[in-house]
Amino acid sequence: MTEVSMTVNGRPVRADVPDNTLLADFLRENLELTGTHVGCDTAQCGACVVHVNGRAVKSCNIFALECEGAEVATIEGEAAPDGTLSAIQQAFQDHHGLQCGFCTPGMVMSAKALLAENPEPTEAEIRAYLKGNICRCTGYHNIVRAIMAASGQDVSNIAAE
Amino acid sequence: MYEVIITRPRTLAEAIDLLGSDESQPLAGGQTLIPTMKQRLAAPETLVSLSGVKELAGITRGDGEITIGATATHAEVARELADSYPALAALAGNIGDPAVRNRGTIGGSLANNDPAADYPAGALGGNATIITNDREIPADQFFGGMFTTALLEGEIITAVKFPLPDAAAYAKFDQPASRFALAGVFVARFGDVVRVAVTGASEEGVFRWEAAEQALSGDFSAAALDGMKPDAVGMIGDLHGSPEYRAHLVGVMARRAVAVAAG
């Protein structure tokens, strides 16, 4: 067991964990932040994307100990304390950017990272950025549409299906 | 994940000392190593995390060369070399996906020497020098076939030095699920000397395509490679493509890379 401390969604946390604890498991099991989903556990599906020091990472593919002292942001930190959705979350709801919702936490966190780097991405840039986030329901069109809408752009020309 | 001990040294000397044990292995970004450990394809008892070792971080620009610290992530290289070495920045910026690029490192990629990874082509085609805690190894002597390098037990990459080329480009045909290269070709021209390195295609891992280098040294244009492809013997054949298909792709990717570099 090794002590690890980090800041998660603005809250300082500290715990003794086995060294092999992955960040995804630390968030889900130790902190009970189960919004971060583990889909493939092989770093391919992107459902577990969170931000570490402002950068999107796959939390199933990084040890919690590697996040010592880091600022971690998860999907639970997106909505306001009163439950008001963030602009990206609201756009996913408005544009039907999810069906089963399993991939959505990772999609939203990747979208947030994209818009931080590139506030007005093109459709092609959004699709390229989501290479590491797999959705088995939507066919991606409404996800792309939602992200474009969240960036304040016209979405009427995005393929509908 | 099985039980493992993780050590987090702060200095290179401490890291080298910890790597002295047989059962320890360096952990860089972990984007290959962690999934490999989950599958038990690797099972080190101790991981020596390099992420906190300051000597391994950072990118410095010298006279006609750039030295990239071993723990520089693909995302950092893509951002910081965008103006000074756009071909290498583009290569780094198209590895895997954005989240992988935020963790994966140049040192880890080169030390792993996956036969379909991008950086080995960049390092070999770009005539890089791999700097370790012990010595400097020219890229021509570093890569030793699939997942094999000149690194000895306990030796780690500390930085990679790239001479700035007069022209360079990387063209990659992605395997769309893994985003590794089915064929990737890095072309660089240094004066009259042209280097062409191929990844993803050969059973032996990254290699220099010497016939293409000779053709391009007199005429640095895509047309100089018209109709050329490497021998299909020794190319990888799997469900994604036959050896003949990969040999064909190498020719196409080489022409695309030269067209960009010469353009």
Side-chain angles (χ1 to χ4, degrees):
Chain A
M1 302 287 267
T2 303
E3 184 179 281
V4 64
S5 56
M6 63 186 83
T7 304
V8 178
N9 299 330
R11 183 167 67 98
V13 296
R14 183 184 297 272
D16 285 318
V17 297
D19 286 11
N20 64 359
T21 305
L22 298 162
L23 178 60
D25 295 329
F26 180 70
L27 295 171
R28 290 178 55 84
E29 307 294 333
N30 291 72
L31 305 183
E32 298 184 350
L33 295 174
T34 54
T36 296
H37 292 170
V38 177
C40 67
D41 202 26
T42 52
Q44 296 175 72
C45 81
C48 69
V49 167
V50 302
H51 294 195
V52 175
N53 293 328
R55 305 266 181 219
V57 304
K58 294 184 174 179
S59 62
C60 81
N61 214 24
I62 176 172
F63 291 106
L65 295 186
E66 291 276 89
C67 302
E68 173 64 36
E71 298 270 350
V72 175
T74 74
I75 191 68
E76 284 87 352
E78 286 305 290
D82 69 359
T84 304
L85 298 180
S86 73
I88 294 170
Q89 288 174 310
Q90 189 61 53
F92 269 68
Q93 186 180 83
D94 293 345
H95 295 275
H96 208 74
L98 62 148
Q99 289 178 31
C100 86
F102 194 85
C103 73
T104 311
M107 288 286 178
V108 169
M109 298 312 285
S110 280
K112 186 181 182 184
L114 166 62
L115 297 185
E117 281 175 31
N118 182 356
E120 284 199 10
T122 63
E123 180 182 348
E125 286 170 339
I126 294 171
R127 289 183 185 276
Y129 203 89
L130 295 181
K131 272 184 181 179
N133 291 82
I134 294 173
C135 171
R136 299 289 77 160
C137 302
T138 63
Y140 302 97
H141 294 304
N142 285 350
I143 292 172
V144 174
R145 182 188 288 258
I147 295 170
M148 202 144 215
S151 71
Q153 301 186 76
D154 176 27
V155 296
S156 53
N157 291 324
I158 307 296
E161 36 191 296
Chain B
M1 176 69 74
Y2 66 88
E3 283 186 27
V4 63
I5 296 166
I6 301 177
T7 57
R8 304 199 74 227
R10 310 303 299 181
T11 67
L12 182 58
E14 204 185 329
I16 297 303
D17 189 44
L18 287 163
L19 284 166
S21 147
D22 280 354
E23 298 303 330
S24 62
Q25 187 167 336
L27 169 66
Q31 300 303 285
T32 295
L33 181 57
I34 294 173
T36 305
M37 289 170 67
K38 288 179 181 177
Q39 295 173 308
R40 304 292 192 275
L41 295 171
E45 288 177 9
T46 302
L47 292 176
V48 180
S49 165
L50 302 178
S51 60
V53 178
K54 291 198 172 51
E55 293 105 307
L56 303 179
I59 297 173
T60 53
R61 176 90 189 257
D63 184 21
E65 64 186 32
I66 290 177
T67 302
I68 303 173
T71 56
T73 63
H74 310 327
E76 273 178 81
V77 172
R79 276 196 304 273
E80 295 195 23
L81 268 57
D83 296 326
S84 54
Y85 199 158
L88 197 63
L91 176 150
N94 196 33
I95 296 172
D97 61 56
V100 166
R101 292 196 289 273
N102 281 332
R103 290 294 300 166
T105 69
I106 186 169
S109 174
L110 292 175
N112 190 48
N113 192 21
D114 187 298
D118 300 302
Y119 262 129
L124 187 62
N127 198 21
T129 301
I130 288 81
I131 304 170
T132 78
N133 53 304
D134 196 38
R135 55 190 171 139
E136 298 199 355
I137 311 170
D140 280 321
Q141 292 160 31
F142 182 79
F143 300 103
M146 205 176 266
F147 297 111
T148 307
T149 69
L151 291 172
L152 302 172
E153 283 294 316
E155 182 178 25
I156 59 167
I157 298 172
T158 57
V160 188
K161 187 165 65 186
F162 286 87
L164 287 172
D166 297 307
Y170 180 59
K172 168 184 177 181
F173 192 92
D174 294 43
Q175 199 279 76
S178 74
R179 294 174 290 279
F180 275 90
L182 272 188
V185 179
F186 193 91
V187 173
R189 182 175 68 76
F190 300 87
D192 296 334
V193 177
V194 177
R195 294 172 67 99
V196 178
V198 178
T199 188
S202 169
E203 295 276 6
E204 298 299 314
V206 67
F207 70 96
R208 282 175 65 185
W209 185 16
E210 284 162 11
E213 293 180 351
Q214 283 157 19
L216 290 168
S217 61
D219 173 12
F220 193 66
S221 72
L225 300 178
D226 269 351
M228 285 181 69
K229 56 185 171 186
D231 196 335
V233 173
M235 293 287 166
I236 297 168
D238 58 21
L239 77 169
H240 305 298
S242 65
E244 293 74 20
Y245 179 67
R246 279 191 167 80
H248 173 77
L249 273 185
V250 171
V252 175
M253 290 302 112
R255 284 187 285 279
R256 286 188 189 173
V258 174
V260 171

